[in-house]
Amino acid sequence: VEEKYMNIIKAVNLVFDYIRRDEEGQVEEVKRALDHVNLEIEKGSFVAILGHNGSGKSTFAKQINGILSPTDGTLFVSEMDTRDEAHLWDIRKNAGMVFQNPDNQIIGNIMEEVVDADRVIVMDDGHIVMDGTPKEIFSRVEELKQYRMDVPQVTELAWELQKKGILLPDGILRKSELLDALVPLLKEE
């Protein structure tokens, strides 16, 4: 029986260290970019991975298509171990990277794009720090700001209005949602 929800990506205690060496080849500095990441992503799902520069998101993407190999732990892409060089070509056929804007690395603008995702993962300092639906994640504006993340403008506006005492639901992601929430309040005035 074919498994209905096969994981296209599965990270098990995934670790990656960038190692800088001096002219003699001695280790000068070790920077841990991924720190025991455990993550499963279902085939066919639209998952947005967010994080400021240095959070680990670009390193994770480079692991997915086999550009980088784990320092420790395991990463499976379509059930193939990315350390298995015999499968690298097949892995790269399954996992491509799109560089929308070189300054943004892989992730575009918070994306009007991200609000349509099935799932949003936020990375910080090599760890997954938030994982949920766009509505769940963007309801946590204060926490996102702690991780130096922006939120959609309409979400920020709704959050500012909430702080002023206007009763709005959490996690407003679209202009239409904000208008739908504001119109009944204006009618009460």
Side-chain angles (χ1 to χ4, degrees):
V1 179
E2 187 180 326
E3 194 175 318
K4 188 177 179 186
Y5 298 107
M6 186 185 91
N7 289 320
I8 192 82
I9 295 166
K10 182 175 182 178
V12 182
N13 289 321
L14 183 64
V15 174
F16 185 78
D17 294 329
Y18 286 103
I19 300 171
R20 196 173 76 211
R21 298 178 185 275
D22 62 19
E23 293 80 22
E24 287 81 43
Q26 299 297 312
V27 173
E28 216 172 43
E29 183 186 21
V30 176
K31 165 75 174 108
R32 180 147 290 181
L34 297 174
D35 192 1
H36 296 90
V37 170
N38 289 287
L39 176 64
E40 295 184 20
I41 296 177
E42 290 177 357
K43 186 175 184 178
S45 61
F46 171 16
V47 178
I49 300 179
L50 307 179
H52 62 86
N53 289 342
S55 64
K57 68 181 186 300
S58 298
T59 301
F60 184 64
K62 289 173 184 172
Q63 296 278 329
I64 292 170
N65 64 12
I67 291 174
L68 298 175
S69 187
T71 300
D72 198 7
T74 313
L75 181 66
F76 297 98
V77 175
S78 295
E79 299 181 341
M80 294 175 282
D81 187 336
T82 59
R83 286 187 198 214
D84 185 348
E85 290 191 17
H87 287 302
L88 268 185
W89 180 246
D90 292 324
I91 287 167
R92 288 180 179 153
K93 283 196 297 189
N94 276 283
M97 286 174 70
V98 176
F99 292 89
Q100 180 178 1
N101 175 337
D103 294 332
N104 290 345
Q105 296 285 327
I106 296 125
I107 303 300
N109 295 323
I110 288 180
M111 334 286 178
E112 311 312 318
E113 296 164 16
V114 172
V115 299
D116 293 323
D118 299 315
R119 182 174 168 201
V120 175
I121 293 165
V122 179
M123 294 191 71
D124 184 67
D125 196 26
H127 296 92
I128 293 172
V129 292
M130 299 172 83
D131 186 349
T133 66
K135 190 172 256 341
E136 289 166 347
I137 297 301
F138 292 118
S139 291
R140 296 154 66 184
V141 176
E142 297 271 9
E143 193 175 344
L144 284 166
K145 287 181 177 295
Q146 287 174 358
Y147 295 123
R148 295 170 276 168
M149 296 297 307
D150 291 327
V151 297
Q153 280 187 322
V154 69
T155 306
E156 179 116 24
L157 175 59
W159 177 67
E160 291 289 350
L161 290 170
Q162 281 179 321
K163 289 199 310 190
K164 301 281 187 215
I166 296 173
L167 299 173
L168 294 172
D170 287 336
I172 287 178
L173 302 176
R174 294 176 176 80
K175 290 176 194 167
S176 59
E177 291 175 27
L178 180 58
L179 288 172
D180 288 346
L182 283 174
V183 167
L185 298 176
L186 293 171
K187 286 181 180 174
E188 288 174 16
E189 289 291 316

Coordinates of all heavy atoms in Angstrom, one line a residue, residues 9-17 32-40 60 63 69-76 81-83 123 126-128:
I9 N 10.8 15.7 2.6 CA 12.0 16.1 3.3 C 11.9 15.6 4.8 O 10.9 15.8 5.4 CB 12.2 17.6 3.3 CG1 12.5 18.1 1.8 CG2 13.4 18.1 4.2 CD1 12.4 19.6 1.6
K10 N 13.0 15.0 5.3 CA 13.0 14.6 6.7 C 14.4 14.9 7.2 O 15.4 14.3 6.7 CB 12.6 13.2 6.9 CG 12.6 12.7 8.3 CD 12.1 11.3 8.5 CE 12.1 10.9 9.9 NZ 11.6 9.5 10.1
A11 N 14.5 15.8 8.2 CA 15.8 16.1 8.8 C 15.8 15.4 10.2 O 14.8 15.6 11.0 CB 16.0 17.6 9.0
V12 N 16.8 14.7 10.5 CA 16.9 14.0 11.8 C 18.2 14.5 12.5 O 19.3 14.2 12.0 CB 17.0 12.5 11.7 CG1 17.0 11.8 13.0 CG2 15.7 12.0 10.9
N13 N 18.1 15.3 13.5 CA 19.2 15.9 14.3 C 20.3 16.4 13.3 O 21.5 16.2 13.5 CB 19.9 14.8 15.2 CG 19.0 14.5 16.3 OD1 18.4 15.3 16.9 ND2 18.9 13.2 16.7
L14 N 19.8 17.2 12.4 CA 20.7 17.8 11.3 C 21.6 18.9 11.9 O 21.1 19.8 12.5 CB 19.8 18.3 10.2 CG 20.6 18.8 9.0 CD1 21.4 17.7 8.3 CD2 19.6 19.5 8.0
V15 N 22.9 18.7 11.7 CA 23.9 19.7 12.1 C 24.8 20.0 10.9 O 25.1 19.2 10.1 CB 24.8 19.1 13.2 CG1 25.9 20.0 13.6 CG2 23.9 18.7 14.5
F16 N 25.1 21.3 10.8 CA 26.1 21.8 9.9 C 26.9 22.9 10.5 O 26.4 23.8 11.0 CB 25.4 22.3 8.5 CG 26.5 22.6 7.5 CD1 27.1 21.6 6.8 CD2 26.9 23.9 7.3 CE1 28.1 21.9 5.9 CE2 27.9 24.2 6.4 CZ 28.5 23.2 5.7
D17 N 28.2 22.6 10.4 CA 29.2 23.6 10.8 C 30.0 24.1 9.7 O 30.5 23.4 8.8 CB 30.2 22.9 11.8 CG 29.6 22.5 13.1 OD1 28.6 23.1 13.5 OD2 30.0 21.5 13.7
R32 N 28.4 27.2 13.9 CA 27.3 26.2 13.8 C 26.1 26.9 13.1 O 25.5 27.7 13.7 CB 26.9 25.6 15.1 CG 25.8 24.6 15.0 CD 25.9 23.5 16.0 NE 27.0 22.6 15.7 CZ 27.4 21.5 16.4 NH1 26.7 21.1 17.4 NH2 28.4 20.8 16.0
A33 N 25.8 26.5 11.9 CA 24.7 27.1 11.1 C 23.4 26.3 11.3 O 22.3 26.9 11.3 CB 25.0 27.2 9.7
L34 N 23.4 25.0 11.5 CA 22.2 24.2 11.8 C 22.6 23.4 13.1 O 23.6 22.7 13.1 CB 21.9 23.3 10.7 CG 21.5 23.9 9.3 CD1 21.4 22.9 8.2 CD2 20.3 24.8 9.5
D35 N 21.7 23.5 14.1 CA 22.0 22.9 15.4 C 20.9 21.9 15.8 O 19.9 22.2 16.4 CB 22.1 24.0 16.4 CG 22.7 23.6 17.7 OD1 23.0 22.4 17.9 OD2 22.7 24.4 18.7
H36 N 21.1 20.6 15.3 CA 20.2 19.5 15.6 C 18.7 19.9 15.2 O 17.8 19.9 16.0 CB 20.3 19.2 17.1 CG 21.6 18.7 17.5 ND1 22.6 19.5 17.9 CD2 22.1 17.4 17.5 CE1 23.7 18.7 18.2 NE2 23.4 17.5 17.9
V37 N 18.6 20.1 13.9 CA 17.3 20.4 13.4 C 16.5 19.1 13.1 O 17.1 18.2 12.5 CB 17.4 21.2 12.1 CG1 16.1 21.4 11.3 CG2 18.0 22.6 12.4
N38 N 15.3 19.0 13.6 CA 14.4 17.9 13.3 C 13.2 18.5 12.6 O 12.5 19.4 13.2 CB 14.0 17.2 14.6 CG 15.2 16.4 15.2 OD1 15.6 15.4 14.7 ND2 15.8 17.0 16.2
L39 N 12.9 18.0 11.4 CA 11.8 18.6 10.6 C 11.3 17.6 9.6 O 12.1 16.8 9.0 CB 12.4 19.8 9.9 CG 11.4 20.6 8.9 CD1 10.3 21.1 9.7 CD2 12.2 21.6 8.2
E40 N 10.0 17.5 9.4 CA 9.4 16.7 8.4 C 8.5 17.6 7.5 O 7.7 18.3 8.1 CB 8.6 15.5 8.9 CG 9.5 14.5 9.7 CD 8.8 13.3 10.2 OE1 7.7 13.0 9.7 OE2 9.3 12.7 11.1
F60 N 20.1 25.4 5.3 CA 19.2 24.3 5.2 C 18.8 24.0 3.8 O 18.8 22.9 3.3 CB 17.9 24.6 6.1 CG 17.0 23.5 6.1 CD1 17.3 22.2 6.7 CD2 15.7 23.6 5.6 CE1 16.4 21.2 6.7 CE2 14.8 22.5 5.6 CZ 15.2 21.3 6.2
Q63 N 21.4 22.2 2.0 CA 21.5 20.8 2.4 C 20.4 20.0 1.6 O 20.7 18.9 1.2 CB 21.1 20.7 3.9 CG 22.1 21.3 4.9 CD 23.2 20.4 5.1 OE1 23.1 19.2 5.1 NE2 24.4 21.0 5.4
S69 N 26.8 19.0 2.7 CA 26.5 17.7 3.3 C 26.5 17.9 4.8 O 27.3 18.7 5.3 CB 27.6 16.7 2.9 OG 27.3 15.5 3.3
P70 N 25.6 17.2 5.5 CA 25.6 17.3 7.0 C 26.9 17.1 7.7 O 27.7 16.2 7.3 CB 24.6 16.3 7.4 CG 23.7 16.0 6.2 CD 24.7 16.2 5.1
T71 N 27.2 17.9 8.7 CA 28.3 17.6 9.6 C 27.9 16.5 10.5 O 28.8 15.6 10.8 CB 28.6 18.9 10.5 OG1 28.9 20.0 9.6 CG2 29.8 18.7 11.4
D72 N 26.7 16.4 10.9 CA 26.2 15.4 11.7 C 24.7 15.3 11.5 O 24.0 16.2 10.9 CB 26.4 15.7 13.2 CG 26.3 14.4 14.1 OD1 26.2 13.3 13.5 OD2 26.4 14.6 15.3
G73 N 24.1 14.2 11.9 CA 22.7 13.9 11.6 C 22.4 13.5 10.2 O 23.4 13.2 9.4
T74 N 21.2 13.4 9.8 CA 20.8 12.9 8.5 C 19.7 13.8 7.9 O 18.8 14.3 8.6 CB 20.3 11.5 8.6 OG1 21.2 10.7 9.5 CG2 20.2 10.8 7.3
L75 N 19.8 13.9 6.6 CA 18.7 14.6 5.8 C 18.3 13.7 4.7 O 19.1 13.2 3.9 CB 19.2 15.9 5.3 CG 18.1 16.7 4.5 CD1 17.0 17.2 5.4 CD2 18.8 17.9 3.8
F76 N 17.0 13.4 4.6 CA 16.4 12.6 3.6 C 15.6 13.5 2.6 O 14.8 14.3 3.1 CB 15.5 11.5 4.1 CG 16.2 10.5 5.0 CD1 16.1 10.6 6.4 CD2 16.9 9.4 4.4 CE1 16.8 9.7 7.2 CE2 17.5 8.5 5.3 CZ 17.4 8.6 6.7
D81 N 19.1 9.5 1.3 CA 20.1 10.2 2.2 C 21.0 11.1 1.4 O 21.6 10.7 0.5 CB 20.9 9.1 2.9 CG 21.8 9.7 4.0 OD1 22.1 10.9 4.0 OD2 22.1 8.9 4.9
T82 N 21.0 12.4 1.8 CA 21.8 13.4 1.0 C 23.3 13.1 1.1 O 24.1 13.6 0.3 CB 21.5 14.8 1.5 OG1 21.8 14.9 2.8 CG2 20.1 15.2 1.2
R83 N 23.7 12.3 2.1 CA 25.2 11.9 2.1 C 25.6 10.9 1.1 O 26.7 10.6 0.9 CB 25.5 11.4 3.5 CG 25.5 12.5 4.6 CD 26.0 11.8 5.9 NE 25.7 12.6 7.0 CZ 26.5 12.7 8.0 NH1 27.6 12.0 8.1 NH2 26.1 13.5 9.0
M123 N 13.2 30.2 11.5 CA 14.5 29.8 12.0 C 15.3 30.9 12.6 O 15.1 32.1 12.2 CB 15.4 29.1 10.9 CG 14.8 27.9 10.3 SD 15.9 27.0 9.2 CE 17.1 26.4 10.4
G126 N 20.2 28.8 13.8 CA 20.3 27.4 13.5 C 19.3 26.5 14.1 O 19.4 25.3 14.0
H127 N 18.2 27.1 14.7 CA 17.1 26.3 15.3 C 15.8 26.7 14.6 O 15.6 27.8 14.2 CB 17.0 26.6 16.8 CG 18.2 26.2 17.6 ND1 19.2 27.1 17.9 CD2 18.5 25.1 18.2 CE1 20.1 26.5 18.6 NE2 19.7 25.2 18.8
I128 N 14.9 25.7 14.7 CA 13.5 26.0 14.3 C 12.8 26.6 15.6 O 12.8 25.9 16.6 CB 12.7 24.8 13.8 CG1 13.3 24.4 12.5 CG2 11.2 25.1 13.7 CD1 12.8 23.0 12.0

